[in-house]
Amino acid sequence: MSDVVREAAQAGQMVLWEESPRDGAQGKTVMSADFRVWLAREQGRIFGDDGARHVVFAAGFPSVCAEEFDATRRVAHEAAGAVSPAAVCRGTLEDVRLACSAVRGAPHARVMIVVPGSDAMADAMTHVPAREALSRVAQLVKAARDCAPEVVPDICFADAPRADVGLLAEVSETLTAEGAGVMVVADTVGDLLPEQAERLFVELRGAVSEEVVLASHLHNDLGLGLANTLAAVRSGVRVAACSWLGVAERSGMVATEQLLFLLAHRKTDLIGEGELWSAPPDLTLLPPIARAVSAETGVPLSVTTPIVGSGVGTISTGTPFVRPKTFQPYDPQSLLGITPTVVLTHLASARVVRAVAERLGVALDRDEITAALRWVKSEVYRRNSAVISDEDFGQFLDGMRAVAR
């Protein structure tokens, strides 16, 4: 079976390496096996029939426990064809064989073997220098190929920013020649600035042949996961790790919904011409998937969460109500399927009050609008809560009219 991920990346198309089930666990969350299967199918559906070409779904870390093995295996087989399923493992023969057995027989299956990139990480993980630790990885690639010839082994270099670029390039060439698929470059401690991220990937891409496919895996400890990932993409990297709602170890990593939205909506501004997808991704699936991930993991969607938060498409003040296009960076209705909503707060104008009343089936005259506006502003400060619900406003209107009668 061909490696559709390598084919896509080498053709200049984007591949998202979804980490919310796997790295998300280090963000103190857990996804049930049923939910992982659902999420894999839905994420693949964003790309129509080409989900396996554009999504590597890191389904789990099989060596954690029997339940994790089962969840990983269920994704691989029950979401067959929707994505390229991956099992993640440490750099030991036992782990590699277990990971291969978790995804063996599934279409487009992969295993990602995590190995140290820097001397500091090699000392922590294997107690030997990086060059010695990396010299053993070729036998892990061979073991994966021997265990399950149809499964593609990928390599993740932990702590790559502190590694020797020449060594990573040398090892990447060797492992690619041995049959490895993608070389994942991980900013394990999350301390890169965008300029440093771009320089790292420019240097690495310049040091390897076109046969080597690089991927980014960048954390958000400094709030720069998205900026750093976009820097990697601008350098030519076409496989990028991400996670729904940004959930991952410590402060998380680049959020899937933000990265995909920007690459789809602002692609020309970010990287110029060229097609990143076999067909345009369906961005209207982003909000419902994000809400489902939030419900499953307990990670909240806030008013200010970009792209999928509860504040997207909401209007509460006068001028934006009259001219919404002047006050928004994109049309949430056409791009995301989010219907604009008028929200009643202490910032409301007479127009806003009238619109909310009409939504409730009540037509107000000028004096009623004035009275309602006065009540809304006073009530917000009395409650110390910014939003007046439709139910509460409706009760006020009923009471106001009952008194008037």
Side-chain angles (χ1 to χ4, degrees):
M1 184 178 293
S2 63
D3 186 340
V4 295
V5 170
R6 279 179 56 86
E7 288 176 4
Q10 290 180 316
Q13 296 182 340
M14 280 302 304
V15 181
L16 302 183
W17 193 296
E18 180 56 45
E19 284 282 2
S20 54
R22 199 278 306 188
D23 207 335
Q26 298 192 77
K28 318 308 180 283
T29 69
V30 66
M31 291 181 179
S32 69
D34 286 343
F35 187 81
R36 294 185 210 194
V37 171
W38 177 87
L39 181 59
R41 289 171 175 167
E42 288 299 293
Q43 191 157 353
R45 196 159 69 89
I46 293 173
F47 300 97
D49 294 333
D50 291 312
R53 185 177 177 86
H54 293 298
V55 180
V56 174
F57 194 86
F61 208 118
S63 66
V64 167
C65 59
E67 290 82 0
E68 185 75 358
F69 178 94
D70 179 63
T72 305
R73 185 151 183 80
R74 282 191 57 190
V75 170
H77 290 275
E78 295 179 32
V83 294
S84 290
V88 183
C89 64
R90 296 167 296 186
T92 68
L93 287 172
E94 182 181 10
D95 259 33
V96 168
R97 288 168 179 154
L98 185 67
C100 285
S101 65
V103 296
R104 182 190 289 120
H108 309 297
R110 316 181 75 85
V111 295
M112 182 174 80
I113 306 168
V114 181
V115 300
S118 69
D119 281 328
M121 192 60 65
D123 183 61
M125 293 173 69
T126 64
H127 312 298
V128 298
R131 180 171 288 278
E132 183 177 344
L134 291 173
S135 70
R136 305 169 182 173
V137 179
Q139 74 177 99
L140 300 178
V141 171
K142 183 179 184 302
R145 285 302 197 184
D146 290 344
C147 180
E150 78 281 9
V151 174
V152 178
D154 301 304
I155 305 300
C156 176
F157 297 113
D159 198 30
R162 289 190 289 187
D164 179 271
V165 169
L167 175 60
L168 292 188
E170 175 189 328
V171 173
S172 295
E173 292 283 5
T174 299
L175 297 178
T176 299
E178 291 289 334
V182 174
M183 302 293 123
V184 182
V185 179
D187 173 24
T188 305
V189 299
D191 66 347
L192 284 180
L193 300 177
E195 296 82 0
Q196 295 171 319
E198 187 160 11
R199 184 164 59 249
L200 170 63
F201 285 99
V202 167
E203 290 180 1
L204 268 173
R205 292 194 73 237
V208 297
S209 70
E210 293 183 357
E211 283 301 304
V212 174
V213 173
L214 298 176
S216 65
H217 181 110
L218 304 174
H219 283 269
N220 200 44
D221 295 75
L222 303 182
L224 295 170
L226 177 59
N228 290 340
T229 301
L230 292 176
V233 173
R234 282 195 299 272
S235 78
V237 171
R238 289 295 178 266
V239 183
C242 52
S243 175
W244 287 100
L245 310 185
V247 61
E249 190 173 9
R250 301 184 308 275
S251 298
M253 63 190 306
V254 56
T256 299
E257 64 277 6
Q258 294 178 34
L259 178 62
L260 177 53
F261 180 85
L262 281 170
L263 290 176
H265 178 51
R266 300 292 294 273
K267 184 266 301 178
T268 303
D269 295 331
L270 290 168
I271 64 168
E273 299 301 321
E275 294 300 328
L276 292 180
W277 325 100
S278 303
D282 184 356
L283 300 181
T284 66
L285 293 176
L286 298 183
I289 292 176
R291 288 193 293 270
V293 171
S294 176
E296 174 74 6
T297 62
V299 176
L301 289 177
S302 72
V303 174
T304 56
T305 302
I307 313 303
V308 295
S310 58
V312 176
T314 60
I315 302 169
S316 60
T317 57
T319 308
F321 174 81
V322 179
R323 297 187 179 184
K325 291 183 179 179
T326 305
F327 288 83
Q328 60 189 19
Y330 57 86
D331 181 357
Q333 176 77 62
S334 63
L335 288 175
L336 296 168
I338 296 176
T339 302
T341 305
V342 180
V343 179
L344 201 56
T345 75
H346 57 303
L347 303 178
S349 67
R351 290 189 181 95
V352 170
V353 167
R354 181 189 296 114
V356 175
E358 289 175 352
R359 184 169 71 211
L360 299 176
V362 179
L364 301 178
D365 63 28
R366 181 175 298 178
D367 290 341
E368 289 174 325
I369 289 174
T370 300
L373 188 59
R374 185 183 306 117
W375 176 83
V376 166
K377 293 176 183 290
S378 175
E379 190 68 5
V380 163
Y381 285 103
R382 186 186 72 80
R383 300 179 182 188
N384 197 32
S385 179
V387 178
I388 301 295
S389 69
D390 281 10
E391 181 182 1
D392 288 349
F393 189 50
Q395 290 177 355
F396 165 78
L397 295 178
D398 290 343
M400 180 179 69
R401 290 199 159 179
V403 169
R405 288 197 295 269

